[in-house]
Amino acid sequence: GDVVPAALRGGAKPILVTGFRAFNGEENPSSVCARRLNGTRAPSGRLIYSTLLSVDGRGAGVAAARLDAYAAVVHLGLEDATTDLRVEVAAHNIRGGDATGTCATRPVVADGPCALATTAPLGRVALRGDEHWSTSAGTYFCNEAYYRTLAAARGRRGARGAFVPVAFVHLPNETTRAVDSYLP
């Protein structure tokens, strides 16, 4: 299991960064990034804590279940079809592992909206030339993790009455672009 850092036992809430474990025997670049960011500090000074999610429905629910412990959540995942970073602006109510499902046939949350927009303040995000907005987090466990976390965030408000910021960034395959090219 994950080791709970001291920051989670008291003091300022850290930022959670998630990555996905290896899938089909291949290391996921999101796990490389999450591990490297673990224990560092965001520009705000908040501690970054990371955890790796299993590539299944159980893993997709981890951040949602722990949301109260964090100031923000940033999910990272792999998108083989891109060479750039993709910031996902929404998640769809489609359970992972079924590329043919829809929000009516395979919902993550029964009777939930077909899509949920990010709760992160995207107006404060400046994208570089190799970063793009995306409106589809896919139909796999990346999308399911994002949707579950966004649904949980909408059920809770932070100290100032705002939703906990939740974002998702898809990363390219390492054979297309090395992790070092987008990590500080």
Side-chain angles (χ1 to χ4, degrees):
D2 293 322
V3 175
V4 179
L8 292 181
R9 294 189 294 261
K13 290 182 178 183
I15 296 169
L16 175 64
V17 174
T18 71
F20 284 93
R21 296 185 187 281
F23 184 68
N24 287 339
E26 291 187 37
E27 184 170 52
N28 192 316
S30 69
S31 69
V32 174
C33 286
R35 284 193 314 265
R36 291 193 36 210
L37 291 170
N38 190 45
T40 63
R41 297 224 175 244
S44 67
R46 285 194 187 267
L47 176 69
I48 295 173
Y49 170 67
S50 67
T51 192
L52 301 182
L53 308 176
S54 55
V55 185
D56 56 23
R58 191 184 54 129
V62 167
R66 299 179 185 171
L67 190 62
D68 291 335
Y70 299 101
V73 176
V74 179
H75 290 293
L76 302 174
L78 168 65
E79 173 49 68
D80 270 328
T82 189
T83 58
D84 298 325
L85 302 182
R86 290 184 18 199
V87 179
E88 304 297 346
V89 299
H92 296 89
N93 193 6
I94 302 170
R95 198 171 325 138
D98 185 6
T100 63
T102 67
C103 67
T105 62
R106 304 246 330 141
V108 174
V109 176
D111 299 322
C114 281
L116 291 174
T118 184
T119 54
L122 295 183
R124 295 174 34 197
V125 175
L127 298 181
R128 298 179 303 203
D130 57 352
E131 302 165 345
H132 304 281
W133 301 115
S134 171
T135 59
S136 175
T139 57
Y140 207 57
F141 293 108
C142 291
N143 175 74
E144 183 174 339
Y146 194 23
Y147 191 93
R148 286 185 186 281
T149 310
L150 287 169
R154 281 176 169 70
R156 303 175 180 96
R157 293 204 181 252
R160 296 184 185 142
F163 293 130
V164 172
V166 177
F168 196 106
V169 179
H170 266 121
L171 310 174
N173 189 307
E174 280 218 84
T175 58
T176 304
R177 185 167 174 196
V179 169
D180 287 335
S181 73
Y182 49 81
L183 277 181

